[in-house]
Amino acid sequence: MVDPTEIKEITQFKNYITKTRHAARVKEQEIDQSFFDDTFKITHLENLANISDQRKKEFEIRYGFVTEMANGYTEQLIASIPKVYVEPKEIKGKITNERKDGATRVAKLFNHWAYKEGKQSHNPFKQTFKYVAFTRGEAWIYVPHRPELAMWDKRKMKMDWRETYPDIVPVHFIYYDPLVVYHEPVEDIEGKPRRVVCFYKRMSADIHASYPLWKKYDTDNPGREVDFWLYADDSVIYAEAEDEPLFRDMKGELVNGDGRRENLYKVCPFAHVYSGWGTNTQSKAPEDLIMTRTKMIRGRVQEDCSMGIDLSHNMHTKAWPTR
């Protein structure tokens, strides 16, 4: 049974949460990213008088401190493939052999998943740590099931899916950049988000690969970027690309008539974590909840660059003006 939440209500929530509620939070994260990329504005250099922009660039000094700090700590603290340990639960103060065997099997499965994730070209464990500690102050994971397993017909295929996919992880772990993920912190229950929106520019070919029945795909321009957004709560999952609903059935018709797909798991398929350095105010302002090591030292990084610029400027224009 699909939740009665209408498309109009979902769209209104998406517009509010992306344009108003999280505007300040996104701005803070973009500033942190500029420090990581070493592209932040050096106020002292910008305010130098009687010097052309080209001349200012000649005196510009950057140290790459935030990038070095983030990558250095990440390499020291985060393993490329972390180990998962599961402790067996006690029953009346005792741990039975069955509980030990169960914990061993669960740990073996999770370590297999961790190995598969860690072997990706871009390590998600290290990237998530950098998101939380240095550039975003939070991290998100989207966990949808694999459609090839959800649609597996054992009678038709005449075999169990494990025979065809013996090494498969039954779900996708999608590590969205927090810059494109939005939710209402007030609605969180014990840290678990109730409604989540992902909104960003997505390449047409990528959308078509995931949603082959998308009608606005232009085969002559597969690299075209369009607005894509995904909404999920405990009851409904909905997606749009360029104002067209994306969830269709095998006949090409919109699911449930309007594109809203029932969430069979009855739980929002997103996991979320904050760095823990932010402030949990009564209003739960998103910009207060996120906090990074980068934000704590922005002023120091700018001052270090300014001092280096001052020294360079004085040395090359005053002490040795002919250089």
Side-chain angles (χ1 to χ4, degrees), residues 183-197:
H183 82 304
E184 177 50 78
V186 173
E187 298 177 346
D188 285 5
I189 299 175
E190 296 181 351
K192 178 186 171 298
R194 193 176 78 82
R195 293 187 291 175
V196 176
V197 171

Side-chain angles (χ1 to χ4, degrees), residues 30-197:
E30 287 175 342
I31 293 174
D32 279 343
Q33 184 65 45
S34 73
F35 275 80
F36 182 86
D37 296 335
D38 229 2
T39 57
F40 61 91
K41 289 185 178 181
I42 304 173
T43 306
H44 180 70
L45 182 61
E46 296 285 329
N47 294 336
L48 282 177
N50 302 321
I51 297 179
S52 66
D53 291 340
Q54 180 60 39
R55 191 66 169 154
K56 287 179 181 179
K57 289 184 179 180
E58 294 176 7
F59 295 117
E60 184 175 322
I61 294 176
R62 295 177 181 273
Y63 298 106
F65 177 79
V66 173
T67 306
E68 184 179 359
M69 174 182 68
N71 290 332
Y73 276 123
T74 301
E75 288 302 315
Q76 291 180 41
L77 299 175
I78 306 300
S80 296
I81 304 176
K83 295 293 184 181
V84 181
Y85 300 92
V86 179
E87 293 186 1
K89 293 183 178 180
E90 294 185 1
I91 301 178
K92 296 181 180 180
K94 296 182 180 180
I95 300 177
T96 64
N97 289 331
E98 289 79 5
R99 292 278 177 168
K100 289 181 180 179
D101 292 341
T104 300
R105 289 197 298 271
V106 173
K108 182 179 180 181
L109 175 65
F110 285 172
N111 275 300
H112 171 64
W113 290 8
Y115 176 82
K116 296 276 285 186
E117 290 296 293
K119 297 301 287 184
Q120 295 182 36
S121 59
H122 198 79
N123 190 284
F125 304 113
K126 294 185 177 183
Q127 180 61 61
T128 298
F129 177 74
K130 285 192 280 190
Y131 274 157
V132 174
F134 302 104
T135 60
R136 304 291 188 265
E138 60 177 339
W140 288 91
I141 303 178
Y142 174 43
V143 191
H145 60 249
R146 288 185 176 271
E148 60 265 42
L149 300 187
M151 295 186 294
W152 186 270
D153 189 332
K154 188 175 181 179
R155 292 182 179 179
K156 183 177 180 180
M157 302 303 293
K158 298 181 180 180
M159 65 177 68
D160 189 86
W161 62 266
R162 295 178 183 83
E163 297 179 49
T164 303
Y165 304 108
D167 201 40
I168 197 172
V169 177
V171 295
H172 289 289
F173 294 105
I174 300 175
Y175 304 86
Y176 274 116
D177 183 345
L179 273 173
V180 305
V181 186
Y182 308 81
H183 82 304
E184 177 50 78
V186 173
E187 298 177 346
D188 285 5
I189 299 175
E190 296 181 351
K192 178 186 171 298
R194 193 176 78 82
R195 293 187 291 175
V196 176
V197 171

Side-chain angles (χ1 to χ4, degrees), residues 35 65-66 69 292-303:
F35 275 80
F65 177 79
V66 173
M69 174 182 68
T292 64
R293 298 291 297 176
T294 301
K295 186 174 181 179
M296 299 176 193
I297 61 170
R298 287 180 193 168
R300 175 184 168 186
V301 173
Q302 282 224 352
E303 181 62 17

Side-chain angles (χ1 to χ4, degrees), residues 11-24 26 182 199:
T11 303
Q12 288 174 342
F13 174 74
K14 169 252 182 183
N15 290 335
Y16 162 71
I17 210 75
T18 58
K19 297 177 181 179
T20 304
R21 181 66 161 144
H22 281 259
V26 170
Y182 308 81
F199 176 58

Side-chain angles (χ1 to χ4, degrees), residues 184-301:
E184 177 50 78
V186 173
E187 298 177 346
D188 285 5
I189 299 175
E190 296 181 351
K192 178 186 171 298
R194 193 176 78 82
R195 293 187 291 175
V196 176
V197 171
C198 294
F199 176 58
Y200 59 100
K201 292 286 187 181
R202 188 172 177 181
M203 192 168 68
S204 296
D206 186 28
I207 297 174
H208 184 255
S210 300
Y211 308 95
L213 299 178
W214 179 43
K215 295 182 178 180
K216 293 186 178 180
Y217 178 60
D218 183 359
T219 55
D220 294 329
N221 192 11
R224 182 172 64 99
E225 291 191 340
V226 301
D227 286 342
F228 167 87
W229 63 279
L230 171 75
Y231 168 90
D233 61 27
D234 293 346
S235 302
V236 172
I237 300 177
Y238 177 76
E240 269 190 18
E242 213 172 27
D243 300 321
E244 179 189 329
L246 293 173
F247 293 137
R248 297 180 179 272
D249 58 25
M250 299 300 292
K251 297 180 180 179
E253 301 294 331
L254 291 175
V255 174
N256 294 308
D258 58 9
R260 289 177 301 154
R261 189 178 71 190
E262 183 179 2
N263 183 356
L264 299 176
Y265 300 101
K266 304 305 178 185
V267 61
C268 186
F270 281 84
H272 183 222
V273 64
Y274 287 113
S275 66
W277 297 320
T279 303
N280 188 10
T281 59
Q282 287 303 114
S283 65
K284 295 187 181 294
E287 63 271 21
D288 293 333
L289 289 166
I290 61 162
M291 175 62 72
T292 64
R293 298 291 297 176
T294 301
K295 186 174 181 179
M296 299 176 193
I297 61 170
R298 287 180 193 168
R300 175 184 168 186
V301 173

